[in-house]
Every structure is written in C-alpha cells, then in structure tokens.
Amino acid sequence: PKAITPPRALPQPKLDTLTMAAICNVAARVTAAPKASVRSTKAQSRAFLGRTAPLQARVAAPRAAARGVSVRADAATEDLNKKLKEVTSTVSEKWEETDDKPAVITLGIYGLVGLVAANGVLKSIDGLPLIPDLLELVGIGFSGVYVYQNLLFKPDRAALKESISKSIDKIL
C-alpha cells in the first residue's frame, strides 16, 4: 500500500505594522465598550470580528483621557487666541493702509484661481504612470545637490546664512 502524505500546511501570513495597529484599535474599542446588557455584549463580539464598535465605546475612551489634559489645552487655546487676535489686528491695519483695495482683491482672486489650476495640473500628472516617480527622483537629486553645495561644509553654511540675511535686509 501507498503511504499517505499529510497535506502541506499553508504558510502563515506575517502581520505588518498597519495590521497590528488595526487589531489593537479593535481590541481597544472592545475593552472600552460598556458591558451592561446583552445587546452591548453582542456589539462587542461584532466589533472583534471586524465590525465597528458601538458609539458608546468610541466616545467613552476619549472623554476619560481628556479629563487630565484640560489645563494644558486651556493654556494652548489662550496662546492660540492671542496669536489669532494679533494676526487679525495686523491684517486689518494693513487693509486700512491699502490705497488700491480692488487691485488687492483681484490679485487674491487670481491667486486662488492659480492655486486651483495648479492643483488640477498636479493631480493629472500624478495620475500618469512613471512620471510621479521620475519627478520624485529629480526632487531628491536637486535636494542632494543643494545640501552638498550649501549645507555640508561650514564655509558654505556661513555663506548661505550671509546671503539669507542680506536678502532679508533688502526686503525689510
């Protein structure tokens, strides 16, 4: 009689970082879900199988974590509000000083139209095969040349700093 060979086992897939993060996210949702009723237990088991956890589970964890950080968030909000008020006051002062307001509005509209057009062109180029990769290589090459010429050696860094400070002095 012939010897029966067992079937070969399929290779186990290796989990990458993104898969592990998704598994941890689902596990966190399941552990944060309330366990008060049978209905929530069913929702937890569904969440573990790849479906989303109930709304209570998604909202409960951030609320608990946010309680200890409220003091820092208030200080950051105050700084942001101060900077926003400063910027708005500066913009309003500059706007009042402007003599040719229609020209400024027209330039702003043209700038916005130019941004939208450039965005459309870049999206269409990005859809072409090989062109985005080629442009990325060109950008890496130019960055390397710039670093070599201006940042790698100390005298070159000093010359670049001097050139930047001269340009700033010309502008201001």
Side-chain angles (χ1 to χ4, degrees):
K2 273 188 171 179
I4 299 176
T5 58
R8 297 175 80 193
L10 295 175
Q12 294 295 322
K14 294 182 180 179
L15 296 177
D16 60 345
T17 308
L18 187 60
T19 306
M20 289 301 294
I23 290 171
C24 291
N25 188 10
V26 170
R29 287 182 180 179
V30 170
T31 57
K35 299 179 182 179
S37 68
V38 175
R39 184 175 185 182
S40 67
T41 306
K42 288 180 183 177
Q44 288 173 356
S45 65
R46 275 190 250 127
F48 188 76
L49 293 175
R51 297 183 184 136
T52 59
L55 181 61
Q56 297 92 358
R58 287 183 276 178
V59 175
R63 285 185 188 162
R67 289 183 189 138
V69 194
S70 62
V71 175
R72 282 185 260 153
D74 291 339
T77 304
E78 289 175 10
D79 285 344
L80 186 62
N81 284 337
K82 286 180 185 178
K83 288 181 182 179
L84 182 64
K85 286 179 183 178
E86 180 182 326
V87 168
T88 54
S89 65
T90 304
V91 168
S92 63
E93 288 173 8
K94 294 295 181 183
W95 179 253
E96 293 301 324
E97 292 175 5
T98 303
D99 294 333
D100 200 9
K101 292 179 182 173
V104 172
I105 292 172
T106 304
L107 283 173
I109 291 172
Y110 283 158
L112 184 65
V113 168
L115 283 174
V116 170
N119 186 28
V121 168
L122 290 175
K123 279 187 179 179
S124 64
I125 289 175
D126 195 34
L128 297 173
L130 297 177
I131 300 295
D133 297 331
L134 179 66
L135 291 176
E136 186 175 351
L137 286 175
V138 169
I140 290 171
F142 273 109
S143 298
V145 168
Y146 180 82
V147 166
Y148 179 74
Q149 289 180 348
N150 296 314
L151 302 175
L152 194 58
F153 303 109
K154 191 169 186 173
D156 296 334
R157 285 193 301 264
L160 178 66
K161 186 177 180 182
E162 183 180 325
S163 172
I164 290 173
S165 63
K166 282 183 182 178
S167 297
I168 289 174
D169 289 341
K170 283 183 183 177
I171 292 171
L172 298 178

